[in-house]
Amino acid sequence: RPNASTPDQGGNTVIVGHRFAYGEDTPFYHLDKIEVGEKIGLWWDGTEYIYQVGEVVVVEPDAIEIEGKSEQDILTLYTCTPIWTAQQRLVVRALLVEVNEVSL
């Protein structure tokens, strides 16, 4: 998102995606199945960032605070919910727990 951070800069990295654009092959299609405590891996510029899910919530579409700045290094994923609608937003928030540099 334009005002969000990136993993290497810290703060709130925000990624938004459709759940239904290409069926079950869409990365966010099963986002509603993720649970608190699970880990998410994100590759950015040759580095792997591992986040641990701390919160899964549903918010209204105008809840723009989910994209706000954060003192903590977090990953925010969100998509429309229920699937096939734009009624609300499913939000997954995860805290950075590990960084793995990759040497080529």
Side-chain angles (χ1 to χ4, degrees):
R1 298 289 295 167
N3 296 320
S5 187
T6 56
D8 58 329
Q9 297 296 312
N12 188 11
T13 299
V14 179
I15 301 175
V16 180
H18 292 292
R19 289 179 67 191
F20 56 83
Y22 304 103
E24 291 189 36
D25 291 337
T26 302
F28 282 29
Y29 187 86
H30 294 290
L31 194 61
D32 61 326
K33 306 292 189 270
I34 200 161
E35 296 180 2
V36 170
E38 289 188 284
K39 291 187 177 175
I40 299 169
L42 176 65
W43 290 88
W44 181 266
D45 198 23
T47 301
E48 180 186 36
Y49 296 84
I50 307 292
Y51 297 85
Q52 187 166 19
V53 176
E55 177 181 44
V56 180
V57 295
V58 174
V59 300
E60 296 303 315
D62 61 353
I64 59 172
E65 65 274 7
I66 61 175
E67 293 188 11
K69 295 188 183 302
S70 172
E71 294 296 319
Q72 293 183 302
D73 296 338
I74 61 172
L75 174 65
T76 301
L77 307 175
Y78 74 90
T79 189
C80 294
T81 200
I83 198 163
W84 308 112
T85 75
Q87 184 177 354
Q88 294 177 304
R89 302 296 180 263
L90 172 66
V91 180
V92 173
R93 280 243 159 105
L95 182 65
L96 182 65
V97 294
E98 185 178 338
V99 177
N100 299 309
E101 298 290 330
V102 177
S103 59
L104 300 174

XYZ file of all heavy atoms in Angstrom:
826
model
N 0.832 -1.178 0.000
C 0.000 0.000 0.000
C 0.873 1.236 0.000
O 1.973 1.224 0.562
C -0.910 -0.022 1.207
C -1.891 -1.190 1.248
C -2.988 -1.092 0.234
N -3.816 0.076 0.559
C -4.702 0.586 -0.238
N -4.903 0.082 -1.413
N -5.390 1.623 0.109
N 0.419 2.304 -0.588
C 1.256 3.495 -0.779
C 1.841 4.092 0.502
O 2.975 4.536 0.507
C 0.300 4.499 -1.431
C -0.807 3.700 -1.990
C -0.899 2.446 -1.171
N 1.102 4.113 1.583
C 1.592 4.744 2.809
C 2.147 3.745 3.814
O 2.513 4.126 4.921
C 0.474 5.572 3.449
C 0.060 6.719 2.557
O 0.893 7.353 1.933
N -1.233 6.965 2.466
N 2.195 2.493 3.436
C 2.692 1.455 4.342
C 4.211 1.354 4.242
O 4.835 1.935 3.362
C 2.049 0.115 4.013
N 4.766 0.573 5.137
C 6.199 0.355 5.160
C 6.551 -0.890 4.337
O 5.688 -1.477 3.680
C 6.657 0.178 6.607
O 8.064 0.132 6.666
N 7.806 -1.282 4.420
C 8.273 -2.537 3.836
C 9.007 -3.296 4.946
O 9.439 -2.689 5.927
C 9.221 -2.282 2.649
O 10.311 -1.465 3.087
C 8.492 -1.605 1.493
N 9.160 -4.597 4.815
C 9.788 -5.372 5.899
C 11.159 -4.854 6.321
O 11.477 -4.817 7.507
C 9.879 -6.781 5.327
C 8.798 -6.847 4.314
C 8.726 -5.465 3.724
N 11.962 -4.421 5.368
C 13.310 -3.947 5.699
C 13.321 -2.589 6.395
O 14.286 -2.237 7.070
C 14.182 -3.900 4.444
C 13.609 -3.000 3.362
O 12.368 -2.870 3.269
O 14.400 -2.436 2.591
N 12.237 -1.838 6.287
C 12.141 -0.528 6.933
C 11.493 -0.597 8.313
O 11.560 0.348 9.084
C 11.326 0.428 6.052
C 11.960 0.711 4.720
C 13.289 1.427 4.854
O 13.408 2.411 5.573
N 14.309 0.930 4.169
N 10.824 -1.711 8.618
C 10.149 -1.862 9.901
C 8.805 -1.165 9.906
O 8.373 -0.587 8.919
N 8.118 -1.249 11.022
C 6.790 -0.648 11.117
C 5.722 -1.586 10.578
O 5.837 -2.806 10.685
N 4.691 -1.021 9.977
C 3.533 -1.786 9.499
C 3.633 -2.042 8.005
O 3.415 -1.145 7.188
C 2.251 -1.016 9.824
C 0.994 -1.802 9.537
O 1.032 -2.996 9.275
N -0.150 -1.133 9.610
N 3.973 -3.255 7.629
C 3.965 -3.675 6.233
C 2.564 -4.172 5.915
O 2.079 -5.108 6.555
C 4.993 -4.795 5.982
O 6.296 -4.297 6.280
C 4.937 -5.283 4.548
N 1.901 -3.544 4.943
C 0.515 -3.869 4.619
C 0.436 -4.479 3.226
O 0.948 -3.908 2.261
C -0.381 -2.609 4.672
C -1.823 -2.942 4.313
C -0.299 -1.946 6.042
N -0.214 -5.645 3.143
C -0.448 -6.301 1.852
C -1.943 -6.590 1.740
O -2.530 -7.176 2.647
C 0.370 -7.597 1.718
C 1.856 -7.300 1.856
C 0.057 -8.277 0.383
C 2.747 -8.518 1.862
N -2.526 -6.174 0.635
C -3.952 -6.338 0.389
C -4.126 -7.224 -0.835
O -3.363 -7.113 -1.801
C -4.608 -4.964 0.125
C -6.089 -5.107 -0.121
C -4.334 -4.012 1.271
N -5.108 -8.113 -0.807
C -5.331 -8.973 -1.961
C -6.769 -9.441 -2.070
O -7.515 -9.418 -1.095
N -7.127 -9.834 -3.286
C -8.447 -10.415 -3.528
C -8.456 -11.874 -3.094
O -7.433 -12.549 -3.142
C -8.813 -10.344 -5.014
C -9.043 -8.957 -5.496
N -10.111 -8.204 -5.090
C -8.343 -8.183 -6.367
C -10.072 -7.027 -5.687
N -9.002 -6.992 -6.458
N -9.600 -12.361 -2.687
C -9.746 -13.769 -2.305
C -10.268 -14.611 -3.451
O -10.175 -15.827 -3.422
C -10.704 -13.899 -1.122
C -10.111 -13.381 0.156
C -11.057 -13.494 1.291
N -11.318 -14.884 1.624
C -12.287 -15.255 2.455
N -13.076 -14.373 3.011
N -12.468 -16.520 2.719
N -10.841 -13.992 -4.464
C -11.573 -14.769 -5.457
C -11.138 -14.555 -6.894
O -11.678 -15.178 -7.792
C -13.067 -14.437 -5.361
C -13.355 -12.975 -5.512
C -13.454 -12.395 -6.760
C -13.518 -12.180 -4.394
C -13.706 -11.043 -6.897
C -13.776 -10.828 -4.528
C -13.872 -10.261 -5.778
N -10.170 -13.712 -7.162
C -9.827 -13.339 -8.533
C -9.495 -14.540 -9.419
O -9.881 -14.580 -10.578
C -8.671 -12.345 -8.537
N -8.786 -15.518 -8.881
C -8.383 -16.675 -9.689
C -8.752 -17.990 -9.001
O -8.085 -18.998 -9.176
C -6.874 -16.628 -9.959
C -6.453 -15.342 -10.610
C -5.829 -14.345 -9.879
C -6.714 -15.115 -11.952
C -5.465 -13.148 -10.467
C -6.356 -13.925 -12.549
C -5.736 -12.950 -11.808
O -5.384 -11.763 -12.392
N -9.769 -17.968 -8.183
C -10.200 -19.180 -7.498
C -9.274 -19.542 -6.352
O -8.621 -18.684 -5.761
N -9.197 -20.801 -6.040
C -8.438 -21.261 -4.878
C -6.932 -21.077 -5.015
O -6.202 -21.234 -4.044
C -8.771 -22.724 -4.585
C -10.190 -22.882 -4.079
C -10.480 -24.281 -3.576
O -9.578 -24.895 -2.979
O -11.598 -24.741 -3.797
N -6.442 -20.737 -6.198
C -5.011 -20.493 -6.378
C -4.598 -19.090 -5.944
O -3.420 -18.773 -5.890
C -4.610 -20.710 -7.840
C -4.686 -22.169 -8.239
O -4.609 -23.040 -7.344
O -4.834 -22.443 -9.437
N -5.559 -18.232 -5.658
C -5.270 -16.889 -5.187
C -4.698 -16.976 -3.774
O -5.287 -17.632 -2.918
C -6.559 -16.033 -5.186
O -7.079 -16.018 -6.521
C -6.288 -14.629 -4.729
N -3.556 -16.331 -3.498
C -2.925 -16.468 -2.172
C -3.836 -16.147 -0.984
O -3.697 -16.743 0.066
C -1.758 -15.479 -2.244
C -1.443 -15.377 -3.685
C -2.755 -15.508 -4.400
N -4.773 -15.227 -1.136
C -5.623 -14.838 -0.012
C -6.923 -15.635 0.055
O -7.738 -15.397 0.941
C -5.938 -13.350 -0.078
C -4.812 -12.463 0.391
C -3.492 -12.845 0.282
C -5.077 -11.233 0.940
C -2.461 -12.038 0.705
C -4.051 -10.405 1.373
C -2.744 -10.812 1.253
N -7.142 -16.568 -0.844
C -8.407 -17.312 -0.886
C -8.730 -17.958 0.458
O -9.857 -17.906 0.935
C -8.365 -18.375 -1.987
C -9.686 -19.073 -2.198
C -10.641 -18.530 -3.042
C -9.983 -20.267 -1.551
C -11.862 -19.157 -3.240
C -11.199 -20.895 -1.740
C -12.138 -20.338 -2.588
O -13.348 -20.961 -2.771
N -7.742 -18.574 1.090
C -7.949 -19.279 2.360
C -7.476 -18.467 3.569
O -7.235 -19.031 4.634
C -7.226 -20.631 2.338
C -7.792 -21.585 1.351
N -9.019 -22.173 1.496
C -7.297 -22.045 0.166
C -9.267 -22.969 0.472
N -8.244 -22.901 -0.357
N -7.380 -17.155 3.432
C -6.897 -16.336 4.536
C -7.755 -16.481 5.788
O -7.259 -16.378 6.907
C -6.826 -14.863 4.124
C -6.046 -13.944 5.050
C -4.578 -14.370 5.149
C -6.145 -12.501 4.583
N -9.008 -16.802 5.607
C -9.906 -16.982 6.761
C -9.590 -18.243 7.561
O -10.123 -18.430 8.661
C -11.372 -16.992 6.315
C -11.688 -18.119 5.352
O -10.819 -18.492 4.530
O -12.816 -18.631 5.413
N -8.711 -19.078 7.067
C -8.345 -20.311 7.778
C -7.136 -20.130 8.692
O -6.844 -20.996 9.507
C -8.033 -21.439 6.779
C -9.114 -21.712 5.763
C -10.357 -22.295 6.378
C -11.339 -22.766 5.351
N -12.311 -21.797 4.908
N -6.430 -19.016 8.557
C -5.234 -18.805 9.367
C -5.633 -18.571 10.825
O -6.687 -18.012 11.104
C -4.378 -17.643 8.816
C -2.958 -17.749 9.321
C -4.994 -16.300 9.124
C -1.971 -16.961 8.509
N -4.779 -19.022 11.732
C -5.091 -18.938 13.159
C -3.983 -18.229 13.925
O -2.814 -18.232 13.509
C -5.283 -20.340 13.739
C -6.467 -21.071 13.138
C -6.656 -22.461 13.711
O -5.904 -22.863 14.615
O -7.572 -23.159 13.244
N -4.356 -17.638 15.041
C -3.391 -16.995 15.928
C -2.323 -18.022 16.308
O -2.626 -19.180 16.590
C -4.101 -16.442 17.193
C -3.088 -15.991 18.228
C -5.045 -15.310 16.816
N -1.072 -17.602 16.252
C 0.050 -18.483 16.582
C 0.753 -19.047 15.359
O 1.916 -19.441 15.446
N 0.074 -19.096 14.218
C 0.705 -19.602 13.000
C 1.735 -18.599 12.495
O 1.690 -17.415 12.818
C -0.348 -19.863 11.921
C -1.222 -21.047 12.235
C -2.129 -21.400 11.080
O -3.129 -20.694 10.878
O -1.815 -22.388 10.383
N 2.663 -19.098 11.690
C 3.720 -18.249 11.157
C 3.516 -18.006 9.664
O 3.005 -18.864 8.951
C 5.089 -18.864 11.425
C 5.413 -18.838 12.909
C 6.811 -19.284 13.184
C 7.081 -19.167 14.688
N 8.391 -19.701 15.016
N 3.939 -16.818 9.238
C 3.848 -16.401 7.839
C 5.253 -16.014 7.397
O 5.927 -15.218 8.067
C 2.918 -15.182 7.682
C 1.512 -15.509 8.153
C 2.913 -14.694 6.238
C 0.613 -14.291 8.268
N 5.696 -16.553 6.273
C 6.990 -16.184 5.716
C 6.812 -15.220 4.561
O 5.931 -15.395 3.720
N 7.636 -14.188 4.532
C 7.574 -13.184 3.475
C 8.994 -12.941 2.976
O 9.910 -12.689 3.776
C 6.979 -11.889 4.046
C 6.921 -10.682 3.130
C 5.978 -10.945 1.964
C 6.457 -9.462 3.910
N 9.188 -13.047 1.672
C 10.492 -12.783 1.075
C 10.507 -11.355 0.558
O 9.594 -10.944 -0.160
C 10.762 -13.746 -0.079
C 10.998 -15.132 0.389
C 10.064 -16.106 0.609
C 12.250 -15.703 0.726
N 10.668 -17.246 1.069
C 12.009 -17.025 1.141
C 13.552 -15.226 0.719
C 13.032 -17.874 1.538
C 14.562 -16.073 1.108
C 14.300 -17.385 1.510
N 11.570 -10.618 0.924
C 11.687 -9.235 0.468
C 13.152 -8.939 0.197
O 13.983 -9.007 1.091
C 11.136 -8.284 1.531
C 11.188 -6.845 1.126
C 12.197 -5.953 1.408
C 10.228 -6.138 0.373
N 11.910 -4.733 0.873
C 10.694 -4.819 0.223
C 9.007 -6.483 -0.207
C 9.985 -3.855 -0.478
C 8.302 -5.520 -0.895
C 8.795 -4.227 -1.023
N 13.463 -8.653 -1.044
C 14.801 -8.240 -1.441
C 15.887 -9.191 -0.922
O 16.874 -8.764 -0.321
C 15.057 -6.806 -0.963
C 16.220 -6.143 -1.691
O 16.549 -6.580 -2.822
O 16.816 -5.211 -1.128
N 15.679 -10.489 -1.124
C 16.680 -11.483 -0.757
C 16.720 -11.867 0.711
O 17.638 -12.551 1.149
N 15.737 -11.429 1.466
C 15.688 -11.728 2.897
C 14.331 -12.334 3.234
O 13.311 -11.912 2.704
C 15.910 -10.451 3.734
O 17.189 -9.903 3.372
C 15.893 -10.734 5.212
N 14.357 -13.335 4.119
C 13.114 -13.956 4.572
C 12.729 -13.355 5.924
O 13.528 -13.333 6.853
C 13.292 -15.469 4.722
C 12.040 -16.170 5.197
C 12.280 -17.646 5.489
O 13.380 -17.984 5.981
O 11.363 -18.427 5.232
N 11.490 -12.877 6.000
C 10.943 -12.314 7.239
C 9.854 -13.257 7.728
O 8.940 -13.598 6.979
C 10.356 -10.921 6.983
C 11.404 -9.924 6.553
C 11.799 -9.826 5.217
C 12.019 -9.101 7.475
C 12.768 -8.928 4.823
C 12.997 -8.191 7.088
C 13.368 -8.116 5.754
O 14.338 -7.233 5.366
N 9.968 -13.685 8.968
C 8.990 -14.602 9.556
C 8.161 -13.828 10.584
O 8.711 -13.208 11.493
C 9.658 -15.809 10.245
C 10.620 -16.513 9.300
C 8.607 -16.756 10.817
C 9.966 -17.213 8.134
N 6.850 -13.893 10.417
C 5.917 -13.210 11.313
C 5.043 -14.252 11.999
O 4.717 -15.280 11.404
C 5.016 -12.262 10.526
C 5.740 -11.134 9.834
C 6.309 -11.311 8.569
C 5.854 -9.889 10.427
C 6.963 -10.275 7.928
C 6.506 -8.842 9.793
C 7.062 -9.040 8.538
O 7.712 -8.020 7.907
N 4.626 -13.972 13.222
C 3.720 -14.853 13.948
C 2.388 -14.129 14.134
O 2.345 -13.003 14.646
C 4.287 -15.264 15.296
C 3.427 -16.306 15.986
C 4.147 -16.964 17.140
O 5.124 -16.442 17.665
N 3.675 -18.115 17.533
N 1.313 -14.804 13.716
C -0.016 -14.213 13.768
C -0.432 -13.986 15.218
O -0.381 -14.888 16.044
C -1.048 -15.111 13.049
C -2.453 -14.543 13.192
C -0.677 -15.286 11.580
N -0.844 -12.752 15.489
C -1.293 -12.397 16.827
C -2.756 -12.027 16.886
O -3.352 -11.991 17.960
N -3.338 -11.757 15.709
C -4.724 -11.299 15.688
C -5.351 -11.579 14.334
O -4.735 -11.366 13.295
C -4.740 -9.787 15.968
C -6.088 -9.139 15.924
C -6.012 -7.644 16.194
O -5.117 -6.960 15.639
O -6.862 -7.170 16.954
N -6.584 -12.063 14.361
C -7.400 -12.230 13.159
C -8.750 -11.608 13.491
O -9.433 -12.073 14.404
C -7.568 -13.718 12.772
C -8.429 -13.848 11.523
C -6.212 -14.392 12.569
N -9.108 -10.534 12.767
C -10.347 -9.814 13.066
C -11.081 -9.447 11.781
O -10.482 -9.435 10.707
C -10.086 -8.527 13.885
C -9.520 -8.849 15.262
C -9.179 -7.573 13.148
N -12.344 -9.123 11.928
C -13.153 -8.604 10.834
C -13.517 -7.168 11.193
O -13.953 -6.894 12.317
C -14.421 -9.460 10.623
C -15.329 -8.827 9.583
C -14.035 -10.876 10.195
N -13.294 -6.257 10.235
C -13.578 -4.841 10.454
C -14.443 -4.308 9.316
O -14.592 -4.955 8.274
C -12.280 -4.006 10.564
C -11.418 -4.484 11.728
C -11.490 -4.031 9.266
N -14.967 -3.124 9.516
C -15.751 -2.461 8.479
C -14.820 -1.923 7.389
O -13.641 -1.649 7.652
C -16.583 -1.335 9.089
C -17.623 -1.822 10.091
C -18.588 -2.847 9.503
O -19.085 -2.630 8.372
O -18.837 -3.871 10.156
N -15.310 -1.724 6.168
C -14.460 -1.267 5.062
C -13.790 0.088 5.296
O -12.746 0.360 4.716
C -15.422 -1.176 3.880
C -16.553 -2.052 4.221
C -16.666 -2.030 5.721
N -14.359 0.911 6.165
C -13.781 2.233 6.405
C -12.789 2.253 7.578
O -12.346 3.314 7.998
C -14.876 3.265 6.620
C -15.753 2.964 7.835
O -15.601 1.886 8.446
O -16.608 3.814 8.154
N -12.382 1.105 8.057
C -11.441 1.003 9.183
C -10.008 1.195 8.682
O -9.189 0.280 8.693
C -11.606 -0.326 9.898
N -9.709 2.408 8.255
C -8.398 2.681 7.651
C -7.246 2.634 8.652
O -6.086 2.591 8.261
C -8.409 4.031 6.900
C -8.764 5.156 7.860
C -9.354 3.975 5.718
C -8.611 6.544 7.265
N -7.562 2.606 9.928
C -6.502 2.551 10.942
C -5.668 1.278 10.844
O -4.538 1.242 11.332
C -7.078 2.702 12.353
C -7.994 1.582 12.782
C -9.458 1.752 12.374
O -9.793 2.689 11.624
O -10.263 0.921 12.799
N -6.179 0.254 10.177
C -5.401 -0.980 10.032
C -4.151 -0.765 9.184
O -3.218 -1.548 9.247
C -6.238 -2.154 9.463
C -6.763 -1.823 8.072
C -7.357 -2.519 10.423
C -7.494 -2.952 7.386
N -4.135 0.323 8.397
C -2.965 0.649 7.582
C -2.053 1.661 8.268
O -1.054 2.080 7.697
C -3.399 1.201 6.224
C -4.084 0.185 5.356
C -4.325 0.695 3.952
O -3.787 1.761 3.569
O -5.053 0.028 3.213
N -2.370 2.047 9.487
C -1.605 3.073 10.182
C -0.197 2.645 10.553
O 0.139 1.463 10.563
N 0.611 3.619 10.863
C 1.993 3.363 11.277
C 2.019 2.575 12.581
O 1.081 2.601 13.357
C 2.733 4.681 11.451
C 2.884 5.445 10.154
C 3.779 6.644 10.346
C 3.893 7.481 9.096
N 4.392 6.808 7.933
N 3.128 1.862 12.796
C 3.291 1.049 13.995
C 4.718 1.166 14.493
O 5.664 1.189 13.690
C 2.967 -0.413 13.693
O 3.300 -1.238 14.779
N 4.875 1.246 15.795
C 6.210 1.228 16.391
C 6.805 -0.173 16.307
O 8.016 -0.344 16.256
C 6.146 1.684 17.849
C 5.741 3.135 18.015
C 6.753 4.094 17.411
O 7.964 3.868 17.567
O 6.312 5.066 16.765
N 5.939 -1.180 16.317
C 6.389 -2.575 16.210
C 6.515 -2.951 14.736
O 5.865 -2.363 13.874
C 5.392 -3.516 16.874
C 5.303 -3.367 18.366
C 4.342 -4.387 18.938
O 3.173 -4.427 18.564
N 4.835 -5.225 19.824
N 7.356 -3.938 14.463
C 7.480 -4.464 13.105
C 6.396 -5.514 12.912
O 6.493 -6.621 13.458
C 8.868 -5.065 12.894
C 9.966 -4.018 12.995
O 9.662 -2.817 12.818
O 11.118 -4.397 13.254
N 5.354 -5.144 12.176
C 4.216 -6.039 11.972
C 3.898 -6.182 10.496
O 4.287 -5.354 9.666
C 2.954 -5.555 12.728
C 2.518 -4.176 12.239
C 3.182 -5.564 14.229
C 1.175 -3.718 12.788
N 3.178 -7.241 10.204
C 2.641 -7.506 8.877
C 1.124 -7.468 8.999
O 0.557 -8.130 9.873
C 3.095 -8.882 8.380
C 2.495 -9.366 7.061
C 2.934 -8.465 5.900
C 2.905 -10.819 6.806
N 0.486 -6.689 8.150
C -0.967 -6.631 8.113
C -1.424 -7.122 6.747
O -1.040 -6.554 5.720
C -1.476 -5.187 8.345
O -1.027 -4.723 9.613
C -2.994 -5.131 8.293
N -2.188 -8.186 6.747
C -2.801 -8.713 5.526
C -4.299 -8.477 5.628
O -4.885 -8.719 6.681
C -2.555 -10.219 5.399
C -1.123 -10.724 5.495
C -1.101 -12.249 5.457
C -0.278 -10.145 4.381
N -4.910 -8.009 4.537
C -6.364 -7.931 4.588
C -6.997 -8.112 3.228
O -6.363 -7.906 2.195
C -6.859 -6.689 5.314
C -6.759 -5.357 4.618
C -7.808 -4.888 3.830
C -5.672 -4.530 4.802
C -7.752 -3.645 3.233
C -5.605 -3.288 4.219
C -6.654 -2.843 3.432
O -6.597 -1.606 2.845
N -8.257 -8.543 3.288
C -9.026 -8.856 2.098
C -10.513 -8.687 2.412
O -10.888 -8.544 3.570
C -8.727 -10.299 1.633
O -9.327 -10.516 0.349
C -9.227 -11.333 2.622
N -11.324 -8.723 1.390
C -12.772 -8.612 1.598
C -13.333 -9.902 2.195
O -12.817 -10.987 1.954
C -13.473 -8.331 0.274
S -13.058 -6.727 -0.414
N -14.386 -9.736 2.974
C -15.073 -10.876 3.569
C -16.522 -10.518 3.807
O -16.812 -9.335 4.012
C -14.366 -11.328 4.878
O -14.739 -12.649 5.192
C -14.668 -10.429 6.049
N -17.463 -11.437 3.796
C -17.348 -12.826 3.360
C -16.916 -12.902 1.891
O -17.070 -11.942 1.145
C -18.756 -13.388 3.530
C -19.516 -12.413 4.353
C -18.830 -11.101 4.196
N -16.396 -14.043 1.533
C -15.915 -14.224 0.170
C -17.038 -13.914 -0.819
O -18.200 -14.146 -0.528
C -15.324 -15.640 -0.028
C -14.446 -15.648 -1.266
C -16.401 -16.694 -0.057
C -13.509 -16.825 -1.351
N -16.670 -13.354 -1.931
C -17.566 -12.927 -3.018
C -18.314 -11.633 -2.692
O -19.235 -11.251 -3.393
C -18.561 -14.010 -3.436
C -17.925 -15.321 -3.758
C -18.058 -16.474 -3.043
C -17.048 -15.628 -4.830
N -17.311 -17.472 -3.596
C -16.673 -16.982 -4.716
C -16.513 -14.905 -5.888
C -15.816 -17.610 -5.611
C -15.659 -15.528 -6.777
C -15.325 -16.865 -6.630
N -17.939 -10.960 -1.580
C -18.567 -9.678 -1.244
C -17.474 -8.688 -0.844
O -16.331 -9.080 -0.623
C -19.542 -9.797 -0.046
O -18.796 -9.922 1.160
C -20.490 -10.955 -0.199
N -17.871 -7.432 -0.729
C -16.975 -6.401 -0.206
C -17.580 -5.809 1.066
O -17.306 -4.686 1.438
C -16.752 -5.319 -1.249
N -18.385 -6.612 1.735
C -19.140 -6.167 2.897
C -18.250 -5.722 4.054
O -18.486 -4.701 4.680
C -20.062 -7.295 3.347
C -20.981 -6.943 4.478
C -21.911 -8.117 4.815
O -21.932 -9.127 4.128
N -22.657 -7.956 5.866
N -17.206 -6.501 4.370
C -16.288 -6.193 5.463
C -14.876 -6.564 5.051
O -14.648 -7.020 3.939
C -16.697 -6.966 6.726
C -18.040 -6.522 7.272
C -18.464 -7.345 8.461
O -18.550 -8.564 8.366
N -18.730 -6.685 9.580
N -13.930 -6.382 5.972
C -12.531 -6.732 5.712
C -12.052 -7.736 6.752
O -12.243 -7.541 7.953
C -11.629 -5.502 5.771
C -12.010 -4.396 4.813
C -11.872 -4.808 3.351
N -12.254 -3.720 2.477
C -13.442 -3.588 1.916
N -14.386 -4.482 2.153
N -13.700 -2.578 1.113
N -11.418 -8.786 6.274
C -10.763 -9.772 7.126
C -9.320 -9.313 7.282
O -8.611 -9.118 6.282
C -10.822 -11.149 6.482
C -10.018 -12.247 7.159
C -10.584 -12.551 8.551
C -10.005 -13.500 6.308
N -8.881 -9.123 8.522
C -7.554 -8.584 8.797
C -6.749 -9.588 9.609
O -7.210 -10.100 10.625
C -7.655 -7.264 9.596
C -6.264 -6.702 9.871
C -8.523 -6.254 8.872
N -5.541 -9.873 9.141
C -4.595 -10.723 9.862
C -3.407 -9.841 10.225
O -2.806 -9.210 9.347
C -4.131 -11.918 9.006
C -3.028 -12.691 9.710
C -5.307 -12.816 8.665
N -3.089 -9.801 11.514
C -1.946 -9.029 11.992
C -0.936 -9.983 12.590
O -1.284 -10.862 13.388
C -2.392 -8.044 13.065
C -3.016 -6.796 12.489
C -2.134 -5.649 12.879
N -2.272 -4.488 12.075
C -2.890 -3.397 12.453
N -3.513 -3.347 13.600
N -2.867 -2.348 11.675
N 0.334 -9.798 12.218
C 1.390 -10.691 12.682
C 2.631 -9.883 13.059
O 2.961 -8.888 12.413
C 1.722 -11.704 11.586
N 3.313 -10.336 14.086
C 4.501 -9.670 14.620
C 5.767 -10.331 14.065
O 5.862 -11.563 14.020
C 4.492 -9.768 16.146
C 5.625 -9.089 16.900
C 5.574 -7.573 16.715
C 5.543 -9.433 18.385
N 6.734 -9.517 13.669
C 8.008 -10.038 13.176
C 8.731 -10.784 14.291
O 8.924 -10.248 15.382
C 8.885 -8.893 12.671
C 10.226 -9.304 12.074
C 10.035 -10.114 10.796
C 11.070 -8.069 11.800
N 9.113 -12.043 14.016
C 9.790 -12.848 15.030
C 11.168 -13.351 14.581
O 11.958 -13.807 15.402
C 8.928 -14.055 15.483
C 7.688 -13.565 16.214
C 8.553 -14.961 14.326
N 11.459 -13.245 13.283
C 12.734 -13.792 12.792
C 13.066 -13.181 11.434
O 12.177 -12.953 10.623
C 12.593 -15.309 12.664
C 13.829 -16.049 12.293
C 13.596 -17.572 12.226
O 12.643 -18.061 12.833
O 14.388 -18.218 11.538
N 14.355 -12.933 11.202
C 14.838 -12.435 9.923
C 15.980 -13.331 9.496
O 16.929 -13.552 10.255
C 15.316 -10.978 10.028
C 15.882 -10.498 8.687
C 14.196 -10.064 10.496
N 15.898 -13.856 8.273
C 16.941 -14.748 7.749
C 17.517 -14.169 6.459
O 16.832 -14.098 5.448
C 16.342 -16.138 7.454
C 15.794 -16.782 8.697
O 16.474 -16.860 9.706
N 14.557 -17.225 8.640
N 18.769 -13.756 6.535
C 19.457 -13.271 5.352
C 19.771 -14.462 4.439
O 20.123 -15.532 4.914
C 20.758 -12.575 5.738
C 20.570 -11.359 6.614
C 19.925 -10.194 5.881
O 20.115 -10.054 4.673
O 19.221 -9.417 6.568
N 19.635 -14.250 3.164
C 19.900 -15.322 2.202
C 21.110 -14.906 1.370
O 21.118 -13.841 0.758
C 18.690 -15.560 1.282
C 18.996 -16.617 0.260
C 17.481 -15.936 2.118
N 22.140 -15.736 1.378
C 23.309 -15.434 0.562
C 23.247 -16.261 -0.709
O 22.950 -17.443 -0.693
C 24.592 -15.723 1.340
O 24.621 -17.072 1.733
N 23.529 -15.621 -1.796
C 23.494 -16.284 -3.108
C 24.863 -16.684 -3.556
O 25.843 -16.144 -3.270
C 22.840 -15.371 -4.141
C 21.400 -14.972 -3.802
C 20.920 -13.958 -4.823
C 20.508 -16.183 -3.827
